[in-house]
Short mmCIF file of all heavy atoms in Angstrom, two decimals:
data_model
loop_
_atom_site.label_atom_id
_atom_site.label_comp_id
_atom_site.label_asym_id
_atom_site.label_seq_id
_atom_site.Cartn_x
_atom_site.Cartn_y
_atom_site.Cartn_z
N PRO S 233 0.85 -1.20 0.00
CA PRO S 233 0.00 0.00 -0.01
C PRO S 233 0.89 1.24 0.01
O PRO S 233 1.83 1.32 0.77
CB PRO S 233 -0.80 -0.13 1.31
CG PRO S 233 0.08 -0.96 2.19
CD PRO S 233 0.87 -1.89 1.31
N HIS S 234 0.61 2.18 -0.88
CA HIS S 234 1.47 3.37 -1.01
C HIS S 234 1.40 4.22 0.27
O HIS S 234 0.49 4.04 1.09
CB HIS S 234 1.09 4.18 -2.23
CG HIS S 234 -0.31 4.67 -2.23
ND1 HIS S 234 -0.74 5.70 -1.40
CD2 HIS S 234 -1.41 4.27 -2.93
CE1 HIS S 234 -2.03 5.92 -1.60
NE2 HIS S 234 -2.46 5.06 -2.51
N PRO S 235 2.33 5.13 0.47
CA PRO S 235 2.43 5.86 1.74
C PRO S 235 1.53 7.07 1.85
O PRO S 235 1.82 7.96 2.62
CB PRO S 235 3.90 6.26 1.79
CG PRO S 235 4.29 6.43 0.37
CD PRO S 235 3.50 5.40 -0.38
N GLY S 236 0.42 7.14 1.15
CA GLY S 236 -0.51 8.26 1.19
C GLY S 236 -1.01 8.60 2.59
O GLY S 236 -0.23 9.02 3.42
N PRO S 237 -2.32 8.32 2.89
CA PRO S 237 -3.19 7.65 1.97
C PRO S 237 -3.69 8.48 0.79
O PRO S 237 -4.20 7.92 -0.18
CB PRO S 237 -4.35 7.22 2.86
CG PRO S 237 -4.37 8.20 3.99
CD PRO S 237 -2.96 8.60 4.20
N THR S 238 -3.55 9.81 0.90
CA THR S 238 -3.99 10.67 -0.19
C THR S 238 -2.85 10.81 -1.19
O THR S 238 -2.22 11.87 -1.33
CB THR S 238 -4.48 12.01 0.36
OG1 THR S 238 -5.35 11.79 1.47
CG2 THR S 238 -5.25 12.81 -0.70
N TYR S 239 -2.56 9.74 -1.91
CA TYR S 239 -1.49 9.70 -2.89
C TYR S 239 -1.82 8.56 -3.84
O TYR S 239 -2.99 8.17 -3.99
CB TYR S 239 -0.12 9.52 -2.22
CG TYR S 239 1.04 9.76 -3.12
CD1 TYR S 239 1.22 11.00 -3.75
CD2 TYR S 239 1.97 8.74 -3.40
CE1 TYR S 239 2.30 11.23 -4.60
CE2 TYR S 239 3.03 8.96 -4.26
CZ TYR S 239 3.19 10.20 -4.85
OH TYR S 239 4.23 10.41 -5.71
N HIS S 240 -0.82 8.01 -4.53
CA HIS S 240 -1.04 6.95 -5.50
C HIS S 240 0.26 6.19 -5.68
O HIS S 240 1.35 6.62 -5.24
CB HIS S 240 -1.47 7.57 -6.86
CG HIS S 240 -0.46 8.56 -7.38
ND1 HIS S 240 0.60 8.19 -8.15
CD2 HIS S 240 -0.37 9.91 -7.21
CE1 HIS S 240 1.33 9.26 -8.44
NE2 HIS S 240 0.77 10.32 -7.87
N SER S 241 0.21 5.05 -6.33
CA SER S 241 1.43 4.29 -6.66
C SER S 241 2.14 4.97 -7.81
O SER S 241 1.52 5.45 -8.75
CB SER S 241 1.07 2.85 -7.04
OG SER S 241 0.39 2.21 -5.99
N ASP S 242 3.47 5.04 -7.73
CA ASP S 242 4.25 5.70 -8.75
C ASP S 242 4.61 4.72 -9.87
O ASP S 242 5.23 3.67 -9.62
CB ASP S 242 5.55 6.27 -8.16
CG ASP S 242 5.29 7.50 -7.31
OD1 ASP S 242 4.55 8.39 -7.80
OD2 ASP S 242 5.80 7.55 -6.20
N LEU S 243 4.24 5.07 -11.09
CA LEU S 243 4.56 4.24 -12.25
C LEU S 243 5.89 4.74 -12.85
O LEU S 243 5.97 5.41 -13.86
CB LEU S 243 3.45 4.33 -13.29
CG LEU S 243 3.56 3.43 -14.52
CD1 LEU S 243 3.82 1.98 -14.17
CD2 LEU S 243 2.33 3.58 -15.40
N ARG S 244 6.97 4.42 -12.13
CA ARG S 244 8.31 4.85 -12.53
C ARG S 244 9.32 3.87 -11.97
O ARG S 244 9.00 3.02 -11.15
CB ARG S 244 8.59 6.25 -12.01
CG ARG S 244 8.46 6.38 -10.50
CD ARG S 244 9.01 7.66 -9.96
NE ARG S 244 8.74 7.87 -8.57
CZ ARG S 244 9.38 7.27 -7.55
NH1 ARG S 244 10.32 6.39 -7.81
NH2 ARG S 244 9.09 7.55 -6.30
N LEU S 245 10.56 4.00 -12.42
CA LEU S 245 11.62 3.11 -11.97
C LEU S 245 11.83 3.28 -10.46
O LEU S 245 12.09 4.37 -9.97
CB LEU S 245 12.92 3.42 -12.71
CG LEU S 245 14.11 2.55 -12.40
CD1 LEU S 245 13.83 1.09 -12.69
CD2 LEU S 245 15.33 3.02 -13.19
N ASP S 246 11.66 2.20 -9.76
CA ASP S 246 11.78 2.17 -8.30
C ASP S 246 12.82 1.12 -7.96
O ASP S 246 12.56 -0.09 -8.08
CB ASP S 246 10.43 1.84 -7.69
CG ASP S 246 10.42 1.91 -6.16
OD1 ASP S 246 11.51 1.67 -5.54
OD2 ASP S 246 9.36 2.16 -5.56
N TRP S 247 13.97 1.54 -7.49
CA TRP S 247 15.06 0.62 -7.23
C TRP S 247 14.77 -0.29 -6.01
O TRP S 247 15.34 -1.38 -5.90
CB TRP S 247 16.37 1.35 -7.07
CG TRP S 247 16.85 1.92 -8.35
CD1 TRP S 247 16.96 3.25 -8.69
CD2 TRP S 247 17.28 1.18 -9.49
NE1 TRP S 247 17.42 3.35 -9.99
CE2 TRP S 247 17.64 2.12 -10.50
CE3 TRP S 247 17.42 -0.17 -9.80
CZ2 TRP S 247 18.12 1.74 -11.76
CZ3 TRP S 247 17.89 -0.55 -11.06
CH2 TRP S 247 18.23 0.40 -12.00
N GLU S 248 13.90 0.13 -5.13
CA GLU S 248 13.51 -0.76 -4.02
C GLU S 248 12.69 -1.93 -4.55
O GLU S 248 12.85 -3.06 -4.10
CB GLU S 248 12.77 0.03 -2.95
CG GLU S 248 13.66 1.06 -2.25
CD GLU S 248 13.00 1.64 -1.00
OE1 GLU S 248 12.08 1.01 -0.46
OE2 GLU S 248 13.42 2.75 -0.60
N VAL S 249 11.78 -1.65 -5.50
CA VAL S 249 11.05 -2.74 -6.13
C VAL S 249 12.02 -3.69 -6.83
O VAL S 249 11.94 -4.92 -6.68
CB VAL S 249 10.02 -2.18 -7.12
CG1 VAL S 249 9.45 -3.32 -7.97
CG2 VAL S 249 8.91 -1.46 -6.40
N GLN S 250 12.97 -3.12 -7.57
CA GLN S 250 13.91 -3.94 -8.33
C GLN S 250 14.81 -4.77 -7.41
O GLN S 250 15.26 -5.87 -7.77
CB GLN S 250 14.77 -3.07 -9.25
CG GLN S 250 13.95 -2.24 -10.24
CD GLN S 250 13.01 -3.09 -11.06
OE1 GLN S 250 13.37 -4.19 -11.55
NE2 GLN S 250 11.77 -2.61 -11.28
N PHE S 251 15.06 -4.26 -6.20
CA PHE S 251 15.85 -5.02 -5.21
C PHE S 251 15.18 -6.36 -4.96
O PHE S 251 15.82 -7.39 -4.91
CB PHE S 251 15.97 -4.20 -3.93
CG PHE S 251 16.64 -4.93 -2.78
CD1 PHE S 251 18.02 -4.89 -2.64
CD2 PHE S 251 15.88 -5.64 -1.86
CE1 PHE S 251 18.64 -5.56 -1.57
CE2 PHE S 251 16.48 -6.28 -0.78
CZ PHE S 251 17.86 -6.25 -0.66
N PHE S 252 13.85 -6.36 -4.80
CA PHE S 252 13.13 -7.57 -4.48
C PHE S 252 12.84 -8.42 -5.73
O PHE S 252 12.96 -9.66 -5.67
CB PHE S 252 11.84 -7.25 -3.75
CG PHE S 252 12.07 -6.74 -2.34
CD1 PHE S 252 11.84 -5.40 -2.06
CD2 PHE S 252 12.54 -7.57 -1.36
CE1 PHE S 252 12.07 -4.92 -0.76
CE2 PHE S 252 12.77 -7.12 -0.07
CZ PHE S 252 12.55 -5.76 0.23
N THR S 253 12.49 -7.81 -6.84
CA THR S 253 12.18 -8.60 -8.04
C THR S 253 13.43 -9.30 -8.58
O THR S 253 13.35 -10.38 -9.13
CB THR S 253 11.56 -7.73 -9.15
OG1 THR S 253 12.44 -6.63 -9.47
CG2 THR S 253 10.23 -7.18 -8.71
N SER S 254 14.60 -8.71 -8.35
CA SER S 254 15.86 -9.36 -8.77
C SER S 254 16.24 -10.53 -7.85
O SER S 254 17.16 -11.29 -8.19
CB SER S 254 16.97 -8.32 -8.84
OG SER S 254 17.29 -7.85 -7.52
N ARG S 255 15.56 -10.66 -6.74
CA ARG S 255 15.81 -11.74 -5.80
C ARG S 255 14.65 -12.74 -5.75
O ARG S 255 14.52 -13.49 -4.77
CB ARG S 255 16.10 -11.15 -4.41
CG ARG S 255 17.47 -10.45 -4.35
CD ARG S 255 17.56 -9.47 -3.20
NE ARG S 255 18.92 -8.95 -3.07
CZ ARG S 255 19.40 -7.95 -3.80
NH1 ARG S 255 18.65 -7.37 -4.75
NH2 ARG S 255 20.63 -7.52 -3.63
N GLY S 256 13.83 -12.75 -6.78
CA GLY S 256 12.82 -13.78 -6.93
C GLY S 256 11.46 -13.43 -6.37
O GLY S 256 10.57 -14.29 -6.34
N PHE S 257 11.24 -12.20 -5.91
CA PHE S 257 9.95 -11.82 -5.36
C PHE S 257 9.13 -11.07 -6.43
O PHE S 257 9.68 -10.34 -7.25
CB PHE S 257 10.14 -10.87 -4.15
CG PHE S 257 10.65 -11.57 -2.93
CD1 PHE S 257 12.00 -11.84 -2.80
CD2 PHE S 257 9.80 -11.94 -1.91
CE1 PHE S 257 12.49 -12.46 -1.65
CE2 PHE S 257 10.27 -12.57 -0.78
CZ PHE S 257 11.62 -12.84 -0.64
N ALA S 258 7.83 -11.22 -6.35
CA ALA S 258 6.90 -10.32 -7.06
C ALA S 258 6.50 -9.20 -6.12
O ALA S 258 6.48 -9.36 -4.92
CB ALA S 258 5.69 -11.09 -7.53
N VAL S 259 6.18 -8.02 -6.73
CA VAL S 259 5.74 -6.87 -5.96
C VAL S 259 4.44 -6.37 -6.53
O VAL S 259 4.32 -6.21 -7.77
CB VAL S 259 6.78 -5.76 -5.91
CG1 VAL S 259 6.26 -4.54 -5.20
CG2 VAL S 259 8.10 -6.25 -5.24
N ALA S 260 3.46 -6.08 -5.69
CA ALA S 260 2.16 -5.54 -6.13
C ALA S 260 1.90 -4.25 -5.41
O ALA S 260 1.67 -4.23 -4.19
CB ALA S 260 1.05 -6.55 -5.85
N ASP S 261 1.95 -3.12 -6.17
CA ASP S 261 1.65 -1.81 -5.62
C ASP S 261 0.16 -1.54 -5.81
O ASP S 261 -0.34 -1.59 -6.92
CB ASP S 261 2.48 -0.72 -6.31
CG ASP S 261 3.94 -0.71 -5.85
OD1 ASP S 261 4.25 -1.41 -4.91
OD2 ASP S 261 4.74 0.02 -6.47
N VAL S 262 -0.52 -1.20 -4.71
CA VAL S 262 -1.98 -1.13 -4.70
C VAL S 262 -2.46 0.33 -4.56
O VAL S 262 -2.05 1.02 -3.61
CB VAL S 262 -2.56 -1.97 -3.55
CG1 VAL S 262 -4.10 -1.91 -3.57
CG2 VAL S 262 -2.06 -3.41 -3.63
N ASP S 263 -3.29 0.75 -5.49
CA ASP S 263 -4.03 2.03 -5.33
C ASP S 263 -5.37 1.71 -4.64
O ASP S 263 -6.39 1.48 -5.31
CB ASP S 263 -4.24 2.69 -6.67
CG ASP S 263 -3.03 3.51 -7.10
OD1 ASP S 263 -2.08 3.62 -6.32
OD2 ASP S 263 -3.05 4.05 -8.21
N TYR S 264 -5.34 1.66 -3.33
CA TYR S 264 -6.53 1.34 -2.55
C TYR S 264 -7.49 2.53 -2.54
O TYR S 264 -7.15 3.64 -2.98
CB TYR S 264 -6.13 0.92 -1.15
CG TYR S 264 -5.16 1.88 -0.46
CD1 TYR S 264 -5.63 3.02 0.22
CD2 TYR S 264 -3.78 1.68 -0.50
CE1 TYR S 264 -4.79 3.89 0.83
CE2 TYR S 264 -2.90 2.53 0.12
CZ TYR S 264 -3.40 3.65 0.79
OH TYR S 264 -2.54 4.54 1.39
N ARG S 265 -8.71 2.31 -2.08
CA ARG S 265 -9.67 3.37 -1.97
C ARG S 265 -9.14 4.48 -1.08
O ARG S 265 -8.61 4.23 -0.01
CB ARG S 265 -11.00 2.84 -1.44
CG ARG S 265 -11.85 2.17 -2.53
CD ARG S 265 -13.03 1.43 -1.94
NE ARG S 265 -12.61 0.19 -1.29
CZ ARG S 265 -13.47 -0.68 -0.73
NH1 ARG S 265 -14.75 -0.45 -0.75
NH2 ARG S 265 -13.01 -1.79 -0.17
N GLY S 266 -9.28 5.73 -1.55
CA GLY S 266 -8.65 6.89 -0.90
C GLY S 266 -7.50 7.46 -1.70
O GLY S 266 -7.00 8.54 -1.39
N SER S 267 -7.05 6.71 -2.73
CA SER S 267 -5.91 7.14 -3.54
C SER S 267 -6.30 8.30 -4.48
O SER S 267 -7.48 8.52 -4.80
CB SER S 267 -5.39 5.98 -4.38
OG SER S 267 -4.95 4.89 -3.58
N THR S 268 -5.29 9.02 -4.92
CA THR S 268 -5.49 10.11 -5.89
C THR S 268 -5.34 9.56 -7.30
O THR S 268 -4.71 8.51 -7.54
CB THR S 268 -4.51 11.26 -5.66
OG1 THR S 268 -3.17 10.74 -5.67
CG2 THR S 268 -4.77 11.91 -4.33
N GLY S 269 -5.89 10.32 -8.26
CA GLY S 269 -5.83 9.91 -9.68
C GLY S 269 -7.10 9.31 -10.16
O GLY S 269 -7.23 8.89 -11.34
N TYR S 270 -8.12 9.24 -9.29
CA TYR S 270 -9.39 8.56 -9.61
C TYR S 270 -10.61 9.45 -9.31
O TYR S 270 -11.72 8.96 -9.31
CB TYR S 270 -9.50 7.26 -8.85
CG TYR S 270 -8.35 6.33 -9.08
CD1 TYR S 270 -7.19 6.40 -8.31
CD2 TYR S 270 -8.35 5.39 -10.11
CE1 TYR S 270 -6.10 5.58 -8.52
CE2 TYR S 270 -7.29 4.55 -10.35
CZ TYR S 270 -6.16 4.65 -9.56
OH TYR S 270 -5.08 3.81 -9.79
N GLY S 271 -10.40 10.73 -9.08
CA GLY S 271 -11.49 11.62 -8.80
C GLY S 271 -11.79 11.83 -7.34
O GLY S 271 -11.31 11.08 -6.46
N ARG S 272 -12.61 12.85 -7.03
CA ARG S 272 -12.88 13.24 -5.66
C ARG S 272 -13.62 12.15 -4.89
O ARG S 272 -13.29 11.87 -3.73
CB ARG S 272 -13.70 14.52 -5.65
CG ARG S 272 -14.01 15.04 -4.23
CD ARG S 272 -14.86 16.30 -4.25
NE ARG S 272 -15.19 16.68 -2.88
CZ ARG S 272 -14.51 17.55 -2.12
NH1 ARG S 272 -13.41 18.11 -2.59
NH2 ARG S 272 -14.88 17.84 -0.90
N GLU S 273 -14.60 11.50 -5.49
CA GLU S 273 -15.39 10.49 -4.79
C GLU S 273 -14.53 9.34 -4.32
O GLU S 273 -14.62 8.89 -3.18
CB GLU S 273 -16.52 9.97 -5.69
CG GLU S 273 -17.43 8.97 -4.99
CD GLU S 273 -18.55 8.48 -5.88
OE1 GLU S 273 -18.68 8.99 -7.03
OE2 GLU S 273 -19.32 7.58 -5.44
N PHE S 274 -13.64 8.86 -5.18
CA PHE S 274 -12.73 7.77 -4.81
C PHE S 274 -11.77 8.23 -3.71
O PHE S 274 -11.47 7.51 -2.75
CB PHE S 274 -11.96 7.29 -6.05
CG PHE S 274 -11.19 6.03 -5.86
CD1 PHE S 274 -11.77 4.80 -6.12
CD2 PHE S 274 -9.88 6.04 -5.43
CE1 PHE S 274 -11.06 3.61 -5.97
CE2 PHE S 274 -9.13 4.88 -5.25
CZ PHE S 274 -9.75 3.67 -5.52
N ARG S 275 -11.27 9.47 -3.87
CA ARG S 275 -10.32 10.04 -2.91
C ARG S 275 -10.95 10.15 -1.53
O ARG S 275 -10.29 9.95 -0.51
CB ARG S 275 -9.84 11.37 -3.42
CG ARG S 275 -8.72 12.04 -2.64
CD ARG S 275 -8.23 13.27 -3.33
NE ARG S 275 -9.06 14.44 -3.23
CZ ARG S 275 -9.65 15.04 -4.23
NH1 ARG S 275 -9.50 14.60 -5.48
NH2 ARG S 275 -10.38 16.13 -4.04
#
């Protein structure tokens, strides 16, 4: 879950994600309800 809550997941190169994916892990960044980028009602 991103560090908002009034924010969103960043679609950009993230070396912390790559640290884990290069070691055999999958990573799922979640835009949960309350995130930005989806309008006022969702936020």
Side-chain angles (χ1 to χ4, degrees):
H234 60 72
T238 312
Y239 192 60
H240 57 88
S241 300
D242 287 312
L243 185 51
R244 58 168 173 77
L245 183 58
D246 184 332
W247 290 112
E248 294 191 22
V249 170
Q250 302 305 318
F251 174 88
F252 290 109
T253 57
S254 66
R255 288 160 174 81
F257 289 81
V259 175
D261 284 351
V262 182
D263 276 356
Y264 49 85
R265 279 169 286 182
S267 301
T268 54
Y270 304 89
R272 181 181 176 93
E273 183 179 356
F274 191 90
R275 187 172 75 243

